[in-house]
Amino acid sequence: MKQIEGTVSSIIFRNPDNGYTVFELAVADSDKPVTCVGGLSFIAEGECLRINGREKHHPVYGDQIEVVSYEDIEPSDAASIERYLASGIIKGVGLKLAHRIVEAFGDDTFRVIEEEPEALVDIKGISAKLARAISESFEEKRGIRDLMIFLQKYGISNSLALKIHKEYGHEAKKIILENPYRLAQDIQGVGFKTADALAMNIGIEKDCEHRIRAGLLYELSAAEGAGHTYLPADMLVAAVCGLLDVDEEAAKKALDDLTVEGQVIVKGAGIMESEEPGKVYRTPFYYMELGVARMLLDLDSMDQYGGEISEKEFSKMGMGDVELDDLQKRAVREAYKHGVFILTGGPGTGKTTTIRAMISFFEKKGMTILIAAPTGRAAKRITETTGREALTVHRLLGCQGVPDDPAGGRRGRFRFEKNEDEPLEADAIIIDEMSMIDLPLMHALLKAVCQGTRLILVGDSNQLPSVGPGNVLKDILGSHRFNAVCLTRIFRQAMESDIIVGAHMINRGEVPKLDNKSKDFFMMERHSTGDIRGVIANLVGGRLARYVEEDQFDVQILTPMKKGELGTISLNSLLQQFLNPPEEGRRQMEFRDVIFREGDKVMQTKNDYHLEWEVRERGFVKSTGTGIYNGDMGRIREINTFAQHILIEFDDSRFVEYPFSQLDELELAYAVTIHKSQGSEYPAVVIPLLTGPTQLFNRNILYTAVTRAKKCVVIVGSRQTVTAMVNNENEQKRYSGLKDCITEMN
């Protein structure tokens, strides 16, 4: 660490989104200014600063000081004060006016502006209105600096301090001292743990009411992140007591208060009054479940949308040499007759052929059809197999990021253009890969489907549930209220694939053949993490890519875990060295212990409705739009350290510029978790399996991983682990109440 003092002589670069600034500091004992970098969004030329920072060397821009903390040193002499005012930092004050003000008040200038702004009116060119504006601007700048310096003491970065000031203005410090937990509710990037650490540092009592209420909401929010829509009351109270080290009665009282205020809803017999405790929801999720149940029942309320389909009509569908079996024909009939229909089945059972038959029949009836899937990859696949355009569900609904204050604390907000007031215009809507649809997205979709439209839901109920909250497909099927057909016959062409045969064996609880006599399903037995990592590097380094005649970047590692030597974090670091090593001219940057390098394979880890993309073709922009979603994969094409952004090319030639401030939305994707692979299909898949927690090493996980492969699956690890996973039917319990809502309403 190094401490220096000086005057900001020039601002070289500033990113308006995150406040990242490159500036030169004129230091008294040096002829040459010092280049400094950091999130100092409010400094201006002429300001005097005391900086604590780290010395670093940039390969392009030379020696720099990376600012860790700073404090403002108020200019004390007339010359410094004039230089500060003339910098433009105070609204309405330029070079000439700064000179006249300092000429009148000298070293006393700042005191006059702050305490006696009316005295400024005596200066030529300053009206009473301008005097007030100068004083207010001066006070605002001082308030921002004071807030940043105050928050620095508690480890809050300047970029986060900027968001806090944008949200609360001059009230920020007062709000933080009274209730720092508001930050977790109001500002993106501040979680409960950050707010709690700040609260403890400033002396908030551990049993403070604000703290316990925030802890309850945090636990419910964390549960939603794990896929639940509610938590049993006893589990929630116990979790909060353990998290905050508070007693049970205090947690129950806080939960009662949140219920009275309407921030949570307890469904059932109170909080702790029976053997079966109530279900505690955050209020929006309670009403989402009710809404989804009601809208599904309303859509299906008509006895028959269409009549029977004769065998003669089936023969005229124009399916070529493809002949539907009895279950497939029944599926087409049920989809035509009912408002809501569910088609399920494993790989190779003819779901796509059945969808094509539905489309063909509906079109012959003059019906309009919309087709969608949760991810871009899934939508692209159904487009290729049906010959009809499929969109992502977000694009189908016209998802738009809310434009107001995108640089502030609420960047994650969005809206759908299609809703109950502007519904989708179609006679039938087909949604594929339904297992991936979470409760909020299902709620938004149903709001845009008007009465009389057929809704056809297609998926594999044995796949993993959605990453987001809810268990929509399984709950709808489990209610036994809607017409559904499960395809079970594996067709002859599919029987030729040991991937499909093996997947069905896993689903039935049978261990697939692992004798390596297959052409597309292999087992490479290894019993140490080092050996497994070596085999993976060898396979991905070119051997497997040559076997399936694809690019080595199309070989995907799928693992149950993020942590450990066989988790995504460690494997991505290993594979980056093999597939995209450092090279002269290949730029890279480090962000939170992850090195991003030009050419790297990356994945978006959260929905971002504001990111703008453009489709480029031969150097020209073909189309533009907004929104990059959780699970989208791409390649880094350029790292621009001066403009502070990374250019990524996603599927379908969509190019996106990521500001460095948003790199927390990306991770390397040579290896991804099996959960994140849902809805995707890869030419070749490598699955490392040795040891791990039983809730992640189960049949459901193995089945999902194997069904992601198109041409080849290679399991590297222990046969005993594979056997144990096939025999482990215990899926991680997911608390969702949609099935009960449908049953109760029906």
Side-chain angles (χ1 to χ4, degrees):
M1 295 289 289
K2 184 175 184 178
Q3 186 178 89
I4 55 173
E5 292 183 12
T7 304
V8 179
S9 56
S10 66
I11 303 291
I12 300 171
F13 169 80
R14 173 169 286 151
N15 184 325
D17 289 332
N18 61 9
Y20 181 86
T21 304
V22 181
F23 62 98
E24 290 186 334
L25 197 71
V27 181
D29 58 353
S30 175
D31 296 333
K32 187 179 177 182
V34 178
T35 302
C36 302
V37 298
L40 286 74
S41 56
F42 284 102
I43 64 164
E45 293 177 5
E47 285 198 67
C48 298
L49 304 177
R50 180 180 295 117
I51 284 173
N52 292 297
R54 299 186 186 94
E55 292 181 296
K56 57 182 266 188
H57 181 81
H58 192 282
V60 178
Y61 304 110
D63 293 333
Q64 299 176 340
I65 297 289
E66 184 178 32
V67 179
V68 175
S69 65
Y70 79 99
E71 58 182 303
D72 187 70
I73 307 170
E74 207 160 81
S76 54
D77 60 276
S80 298
I81 292 171
E82 182 176 336
R83 188 163 58 245
Y84 175 79
L85 292 177
S87 69
I89 195 170
I90 305 300
K91 291 177 184 176
V93 179
L95 285 168
K96 292 181 180 178
L97 200 53
H99 178 71
R100 288 202 290 269
I101 293 171
V102 175
E103 193 175 40
F105 302 112
D107 295 351
D108 204 29
T109 296
F110 283 165
R111 188 198 63 78
V112 171
I113 291 174
E114 189 174 10
E115 299 176 10
E116 303 175 36
E118 65 277 3
L120 297 174
V121 178
D122 295 334
I123 295 171
K124 182 182 176 183
I126 298 182
S127 63
K129 183 178 179 181
L130 179 56
R132 284 195 302 274
I134 291 171
S135 181
E136 287 169 3
S137 179
F138 182 81
E139 187 178 347
E140 181 188 10
K141 297 298 179 186
R142 174 168 283 182
I144 292 167
R145 291 196 301 272
D146 288 347
L147 176 65
M148 287 187 163
I149 292 166
F150 167 70
L151 290 174
Q152 276 179 15
K153 292 186 294 184
Y154 304 113
I156 303 296
S157 68
N158 287 333
S159 58
L160 197 52
L162 172 60
K163 286 184 180 181
I164 293 169
H165 185 269
K166 279 180 178 288
E167 180 69 24
Y168 301 130
H170 67 277
E171 293 281 300
K173 191 172 179 180
K174 177 173 175 281
I175 288 168
I176 290 168
L177 289 171
E178 288 178 356
N179 180 13
Y181 296 98
R182 278 186 59 180
L183 302 181
Q185 296 177 21
D186 297 340
I187 297 172
Q188 186 185 26
V190 180
F192 170 79
K193 291 184 177 178
T194 300
D196 194 44
L198 178 59
M200 295 298 98
N201 281 334
I202 63 179
I204 299 289
E205 296 293 331
K206 76 172 186 177
D207 58 353
C208 165
E209 181 186 355
H210 290 312
R211 183 172 188 248
I212 300 173
R213 287 153 59 103
L216 287 163
L217 293 174
Y218 164 74
E219 286 291 349
L220 287 173
S221 180
E224 291 158 13
H228 309 293
T229 59
Y230 72 86
L231 282 180
D234 58 347
M235 182 183 292
L236 174 61
V237 168
V240 168
C241 290
L243 175 73
L244 305 181
D245 189 24
V246 296
D247 64 65
E248 191 176 287
E249 288 307 311
K252 287 183 187 178
K253 181 184 181 303
L255 184 53
D256 274 331
D257 292 342
L258 288 173
T259 306
V260 170
E261 290 180 8
Q263 291 197 58
V264 303
I265 288 178
V266 182
K267 182 179 179 182
I271 293 176
M272 305 283 282
E273 297 170 2
S274 69
E275 290 183 6
E276 186 175 346
K279 303 171 181 178
V280 186
Y281 291 83
R282 281 202 311 129
T283 300
F285 282 87
Y286 176 78
Y287 287 111
M288 270 188 232
E289 281 192 347
L290 287 179
V292 167
R294 177 184 57 78
M295 289 185 283
L296 282 171
L297 290 167
D298 286 349
L299 274 179
D300 203 50
S301 61
M302 295 174 65
D303 289 337
Q304 282 196 339
Y305 277 52
E308 290 292 339
I309 304 173
S310 67
E311 286 297 321
K312 187 176 180 181
E313 287 179 290
F314 275 115
S315 67
K316 293 180 179 179
M317 279 188 188
M319 298 288 290
D321 296 333
V322 177
E323 188 173 335
L324 303 179
D325 70 7
D326 290 342
L327 269 180
Q328 289 175 310
K329 289 177 182 178
R330 181 183 155 206
V332 177
R333 288 189 176 105
E334 295 295 314
Y336 183 53
K337 286 166 58 178
H338 299 284
V340 177
F341 172 71
I342 305 104
L343 176 66
T344 66
T349 56
K351 291 196 301 293
T352 302
T353 300
T354 308
I355 293 171
R356 286 173 50 212
M358 290 176 186
I359 294 169
S360 178
F361 177 76
F362 291 166
E363 287 179 342
K364 280 183 166 47
K365 289 287 186 181
M367 295 165 60
T368 55
I369 306 160
L370 293 172
I371 310 169
T375 66
R377 283 180 170 237
K380 184 178 180 181
R381 191 170 69 249
I382 197 170
T383 297
E384 292 168 350
T385 54
T386 64
R388 303 295 189 278
E389 182 186 21
L391 303 173
T392 64
V393 178
H394 285 90
R395 286 188 67 188
L396 179 74
L397 297 177
C399 182
Q400 297 289 330
V402 176
D404 51 335
D405 194 19
R410 295 194 177 97
R411 184 180 171 83
R413 293 186 299 163
F414 64 97
R415 64 182 178 85
F416 291 113
E417 292 180 343
K418 297 295 182 181
N419 50 42
E420 59 269 48
D421 299 321
E422 188 69 34
L424 295 164
E425 296 181 7
D427 296 304
I429 298 172
I430 300 172
I431 306 296
D432 196 16
E433 294 285 357
M434 262 303 298
S435 62
M436 296 181 65
I437 300 285
D438 61 20
L439 182 70
L441 189 56
M442 188 65 179
H443 186 259
L445 172 67
L446 288 170
K447 284 171 67 177
V449 179
C450 57
Q451 198 76 11
T453 299
R454 293 166 177 82
L455 181 63
I456 299 154
L457 310 176
V458 183
D460 183 348
S461 58
N462 294 306
Q463 297 279 5
L464 292 169
S466 59
V467 174
N471 208 355
V472 174
L473 180 60
K474 283 190 177 179
D475 278 356
I476 294 172
L477 287 168
S479 72
H480 303 295
R481 167 57 181 78
F482 304 99
N483 289 275
V485 169
C486 179
L487 302 177
T488 56
R489 173 189 167 195
I490 306 176
F491 283 84
R492 181 176 55 80
Q493 299 95 318
M495 288 291 288
E496 296 174 4
S497 167
D498 288 323
I499 296 173
I500 291 174
V501 172
H504 282 273
M505 290 179 71
I506 292 167
N507 195 38
R508 293 194 300 267
E510 302 170 15
V511 179
K513 292 180 180 179
L514 301 173
D515 55 11
N516 288 341
K517 294 180 180 178
S518 168
K519 66 179 187 301
D520 59 9
F521 199 131
F522 302 97
M523 174 83 203
M524 301 185 73
E525 194 163 9
R526 299 292 187 276
H527 297 285
S528 73
T529 54
D531 287 346
I532 292 172
R533 286 164 63 90
V535 170
I536 288 172
N538 186 23
L539 289 171
V540 177
R543 182 177 164 191
L544 187 54
R546 290 192 296 271
Y547 180 74
V548 295
E549 298 179 334
E550 298 282 354
D551 187 277
Q552 58 187 4
F553 280 86
D554 291 325
V555 175
Q556 187 62 54
I557 310 301
L558 300 181
T559 175
M561 307 172 294
K562 292 191 73 171
K563 296 180 180 178
E565 287 190 83
L566 299 181
T568 57
I569 297 170
S570 180
L571 287 176
N572 272 318
S573 179
L574 169 74
L575 295 169
Q576 185 186 49
Q577 294 301 310
F578 275 86
L579 295 177
N580 193 34
E583 189 176 286
E584 189 175 350
R586 186 179 290 169
R587 284 167 290 194
Q588 65 180 48
M589 70 160 295
E590 186 173 346
F591 182 84
R592 295 183 182 174
D593 299 325
V594 177
I595 293 174
F596 290 105
R597 188 173 293 133
E598 290 176 338
D600 273 338
K601 185 178 179 181
V602 292
M603 174 185 278
Q604 174 78 7
T605 61
K606 62 179 74 172
N607 291 338
D608 191 318
Y609 308 98
H610 295 267
L611 274 173
E612 298 177 356
W613 52 260
E614 56 186 34
V615 174
R616 299 179 184 178
E617 200 171 270
R618 297 178 182 177
F620 294 96
V621 176
K622 186 179 177 183
S623 60
T624 61
T626 59
I628 298 294
Y629 304 111
N630 190 357
D632 285 354
M633 294 176 74
R635 298 277 299 277
I636 297 176
R637 298 305 182 196
E638 180 188 46
I639 296 177
N640 190 323
T641 53
F642 183 77
Q644 297 283 301
H645 72 241
I646 287 181
L647 179 67
I648 296 174
E649 180 182 4
F650 285 96
D651 295 334
D652 305 323
S653 301
R654 291 176 300 152
F655 286 82
V656 179
E657 286 185 358
Y658 277 77
F660 282 1
S661 59
Q662 285 178 243
L663 293 186
D664 59 338
E665 296 182 12
L666 291 172
E667 61 185 29
L668 295 175
Y670 302 103
V672 301
T673 62
I674 295 167
H675 273 92
K676 287 281 183 149
S677 72
Q678 288 174 269
S680 296
E681 191 176 67
Y682 311 99
V685 163
V686 179
I687 311 168
L689 298 174
L690 191 59
T691 58
T694 54
Q695 67 266 31
L696 289 179
F697 279 64
N698 59 41
R699 184 186 300 175
N700 201 212
I701 289 273
L702 181 60
Y703 175 78
T704 300
V706 169
T707 54
R708 299 306 91 203
K710 189 175 181 180
K711 294 182 180 181
C712 185
V713 169
V714 182
I715 297 175
V716 186
S718 165
R719 289 176 187 271
Q720 287 80 5
T721 300
V722 174
T723 301
M725 291 180 77
V726 171
N727 292 330
N728 180 13
E729 293 184 78
N730 297 321
E731 298 176 32
Q732 202 163 6
K733 182 170 177 58
R734 183 165 284 210
Y735 294 105
S736 64
L738 178 59
K739 181 178 80 170
D740 293 339
C741 283
I742 293 170
T743 303
E744 290 164 12
M745 282 192 180
N746 189 46

